[in-house]
Amino acid sequence: IFKMLSTIPVFIAARGNSELKIKKNKKALKYSFVFIRSMGLINQTYIISDNTEILEYAKKLGFKNTIYQECKDEKDVRYIEYNAIYEFHLKYNAKPDWFILLSIDELFISKESFLNCIRNIDDKYDVIASYSETTDRSIFYLDDDLTLKHHIHRITNEKKRCKMVDSRIYAIKTKFAIKCMQEGDPAEVFWHGKFKFFQNKDLYTDIYSVEDISKFSYLGHVLEQVNQI
């Protein structure tokens, strides 16, 4: 596992096709950098973006490798990832055999989750993906005037727990990634690949805005106080 850890490429995509995404992804990159640095993966990590401001900021943080990829398909949020990774591996003749794709929308990834993904790599599969488990519960919606509109049960058995692909971390077989780009719709081919899943027990954050990130700003202060008790 440690031999693979020292060679496997790591890709993080940070789209910048709007001012909101630029601000959010620049802040989120700080969390990504702290994690990548703690894992000793700076030299093999690549930041992909369709925005030069984000890539310049990534270099200022300390990332050494950046890839500019023009986004030609605004409907496919993963277009820049598919295409940049495809070009990268064509350049290096599809080596190494696997690579890691991390989500910039998940602020907290533990060392154990990352290593667990690598441990699960199996050539019988195309993709190793993490999933999170949440307790099933009713979701209540409010009208604009803050009156209760209606409620929906996620599933019929309220005591059951839901498992979902959290898109936090993937290990993807390189030949399969190339196949995704060569055989029609990349997303369609990807989700019809052979998947192996492992449970991710890290905090699920699902960040979409600067405001989402600010919700976690108090954690450092709280944890500091807890550790002093």
Side-chain angles (χ1 to χ4, degrees):
I1 183 172
F2 291 104
K3 182 179 180 181
M4 178 175 284
L5 185 63
S6 65
T7 59
I8 193 166
V10 179
F11 295 94
I12 302 172
R15 284 166 60 87
N17 59 339
S18 70
E19 191 64 30
L20 177 63
K21 285 186 178 179
I22 292 173
K23 290 181 179 179
K24 186 269 290 183
N25 284 339
K26 284 175 69 174
K27 283 186 174 291
L29 271 175
K30 293 181 179 180
Y31 290 82
S32 299
F33 179 75
V34 169
F35 173 72
I36 292 298
R37 183 177 60 183
S38 72
M39 294 292 294
L41 299 171
I42 291 293
N43 290 332
Q44 65 215 63
T45 297
Y46 298 81
I47 305 301
I48 305 169
S49 184
D50 54 352
N51 181 272
T52 56
E53 181 181 338
I54 288 177
L55 295 179
E56 290 171 2
Y57 183 73
K59 287 185 175 180
K60 286 182 181 179
L61 285 175
F63 287 107
K64 294 185 177 181
N65 307 300
T66 59
I67 301 174
Y68 175 78
Q69 177 61 56
E70 183 181 358
C71 184
K72 298 180 180 178
D73 186 355
E74 291 295 338
K75 295 180 180 178
D76 187 352
V77 296
R78 292 196 180 276
Y79 175 84
I80 66 168
E81 299 166 42
Y82 292 134
N83 205 62
I85 293 170
Y86 173 70
E87 295 290 342
F88 175 89
H89 286 294
L90 285 185
K91 180 179 178 180
Y92 292 101
N93 297 314
K95 295 292 183 181
D97 296 333
W98 291 78
F99 64 89
I100 296 291
L101 179 62
L102 297 180
S103 170
I104 198 170
D105 294 326
E106 290 300 323
L107 300 184
F108 307 107
I109 300 175
S110 68
K111 178 179 180 180
E112 181 55 33
S113 290
F114 191 92
L115 295 178
N116 199 19
C117 183
I118 293 179
R119 289 189 194 102
N120 276 280
I121 287 178
D122 186 335
D123 284 331
K124 292 185 296 185
Y125 299 92
D126 300 315
V127 182
I128 312 301
S130 60
Y131 76 87
S132 293
E133 191 174 83
T134 61
T135 303
D136 179 45
R137 54 191 177 274
S138 298
I139 303 176
F140 292 87
Y141 294 87
L142 299 179
D143 273 327
D144 291 336
D145 61 357
L146 301 185
T147 57
L148 187 64
K149 187 175 183 180
H150 64 281
H151 71 276
I152 301 173
H153 292 288
R154 290 184 179 176
I155 48 181
T156 54
N157 183 358
E158 292 183 41
K159 295 182 180 179
K160 192 173 180 180
R161 293 180 67 81
C162 304
K163 295 180 177 65
M164 63 177 181
V165 181
D166 56 27
S167 299
R168 184 190 304 260
I169 179 170
Y170 296 99
I172 303 174
K173 188 183 294 182
T174 303
K175 289 182 179 179
F176 177 65
I178 292 175
K179 175 183 177 181
C180 289
M181 289 301 296
Q182 292 177 336
E183 298 186 7
D185 183 345
E188 184 73 16
V189 178
F190 179 82
W191 289 111
H192 282 85
K194 295 180 180 178
F195 278 73
K196 179 182 180 182
F197 296 99
F198 68 95
Q199 186 172 5
N200 172 24
K201 296 184 179 180
D202 295 340
L203 174 65
Y204 182 67
T205 53
D206 204 21
I207 299 298
Y208 281 97
S209 68
V210 175
E211 288 72 23
D212 288 341
I213 295 177
S214 67
K215 294 174 184 177
F216 295 94
S217 61
Y218 74 96
L219 282 178
H221 178 63
V222 171
L223 291 173
E224 183 179 343
Q225 294 183 73
V226 170
N227 290 332
Q228 291 175 354
I229 297 175

